[in-house]
Amino acid sequence: MKGIQDFIEHKPRLKVNEENSAVDRPGKRKILGFSFTFHKEPKVRIAKESIRRLHKKIRASRKMSYTMDYRIEKLNQYLMGWCSYFALADTISTFKQLDSWIRRQLRMCLWKNWKKPKTKYTNLIKLGTPPSKAWEWANSHKGYWRISNSPILHRNLGNSYWSHRGLKSLQNRYETLRQIS
C-alpha cells in the first residue's frame, strides 16, 4: 500500500484518500457500487450495499400516499437510471430478482390502498377472481407483505398487469443495454 501510495502521490501528483483506499483481493472490495466475483476470471457484479440502498429507497417511497400511476412514473425514472449505471455488471439474475421484488412491493402498496374488505373484494372480482376466493382473501387478516405474495394477487397482478400500468422491466432494460454495448 505504501509503495502504491508514494507512486500515485509523486508521479501524477494525486492525493490518496487513506480511509477509502486499501490493498485487498478484488472480491472483498467495493468500487463505485461494484464488486467482483472470486472466480479465476472475476466478473463484475453489483455490490450488496448498492442493492440494499435501492431496497431502502423503494421502501421509503411506499410510505408516501401517491397515486399508483405517479408512483410507477417516479419508480421508472429512478430504476432506469439505476439500471443504466449498473448495466456493466454481469448479473442478470440480480435484475430478475429485483424485478420480482419491485412488483411485490407494488402489489403490497395496492393492497394497502384498497383498505376495506369490501373494496378488496370488489377489486379482486374486477381482476377476474372467483367470488368465493375473492371473499376469502378480502377478509384475510394476514399482513400486507405476506398477502402480496399470495397466489391470488400474484396471478391477477402479474407481469402483464404491471407492464400495462407502465412499469418498465429492469431485466428487459438490462438485456437491451447489454446488446447495445
Side-chain angles (χ1 to χ4, degrees), residues 13 37 73 177:
R13 296 182 186 199
T37 59
E73 179 187 333
L177 290 170

Side-chain angles (χ1 to χ4, degrees), residues 38-50:
F38 287 104
H39 299 92
K40 286 184 180 180
E41 291 183 29
K43 292 185 177 183
V44 179
R45 66 179 177 192
I46 303 169
K48 290 177 183 172
E49 189 177 311
S50 299

Side-chain angles (χ1 to χ4, degrees), residues 17 20-21 26 28-36 44-51 53 81-89:
N17 185 342
N20 294 335
S21 300
K28 294 183 178 180
R29 298 297 299 168
K30 177 181 74 86
I31 303 165
L32 299 173
F34 293 95
S35 63
F36 301 92
V44 179
R45 66 179 177 192
I46 303 169
K48 290 177 183 172
E49 189 177 311
S50 299
I51 294 173
R53 229 184 343 257
W82 193 89
C83 182
S84 296
Y85 181 77
F86 286 107
L88 295 171

Side-chain angles (χ1 to χ4, degrees), residues 1 3 6-7 11-12 46 53 58 69 73 78 86 91 99 108 110 120 133 142 156 160 162:
M1 177 67 182
D6 288 341
F7 174 78
K11 191 80 173 171
I46 303 169
R53 229 184 343 257
I58 292 173
D69 292 333
E73 179 187 333
Y78 178 71
F86 286 107
T91 52
D99 260 349
M108 185 182 74
L110 198 58
K120 292 174 184 176
K133 283 290 179 191
K142 294 178 183 173
N156 291 325
S160 60
W162 293 113

